[in-house]
Amino acid sequence: MDENLEMIVMNLVIDSGSCRSYAMEAIAFAKEGQFDEAEEALVNADSEIQKAHHVQTSLIQNEAKGEHTEISLLMVHAQDHLMTAMVVKDLAREFVSLYKKLK
């Protein structure tokens, strides 16, 4: 894997991980009744996942143009992080909503 692609993939892992962290933070805030903070964490999670999704979309578009991307364990790991982060973010939004209803 060339250095440029490696950096792109590492950023995908980092942005996805940040999204997941913000989403989990949102759940913790909501659990404590801190809904403004929970909403802010969800906004941050959305921002991070958008960055990660943009990277993934660029990789897919390049592949569609015939520019083959080397599939490595690091690439698979990055995609796993992205998909997990997306699910956690969606569930966090539901948890925040549920905690609001309970309060």
Side-chain angles (χ1 to χ4, degrees), residues 29-45:
F29 279 132
K31 186 176 182 179
E32 297 300 319
Q34 298 173 300
F35 299 116
D36 290 340
E37 292 86 348
E39 290 297 334
E40 183 178 340
L42 288 173
V43 167
N44 290 334

Side-chain angles (χ1 to χ4, degrees), residues 44-63:
N44 290 334
D46 284 336
S47 175
E48 293 299 318
I49 205 66
Q50 285 176 5
K51 290 191 295 187
H53 193 259
H54 177 73
V55 170
Q56 181 192 44
T57 300
S58 294
L59 291 170
I60 292 169
Q61 288 173 340
N62 289 343
E63 188 82 20

Side-chain angles (χ1 to χ4, degrees), residues 13 15 23 27 44 52 66 77 79 84 95 100:
V13 171
D15 294 339
I27 293 170
N44 290 334
H77 180 67
Q79 292 299 312
T84 301
F95 272 101
K100 282 180 180 180

Side-chain angles (χ1 to χ4, degrees), residues 18-32:
S18 294
C19 170
R20 184 183 175 282
S21 294
Y22 280 124
M24 294 302 293
E25 186 177 77
I27 293 170
F29 279 132
K31 186 176 182 179
E32 297 300 319

Side-chain angles (χ1 to χ4, degrees), residues 6 8-9 13-14 17 20 26 45-46 52 61 64 68 74-76 83 86 90 92 97 99:
E6 189 173 312
I8 290 169
V9 172
V13 171
I14 291 166
R20 184 183 175 282
D46 284 336
Q61 288 173 340
H68 179 71
L74 183 59
M75 176 68 80
V76 172
M83 298 313 296
M86 292 171 78
D90 291 344
S97 177
Y99 278 120

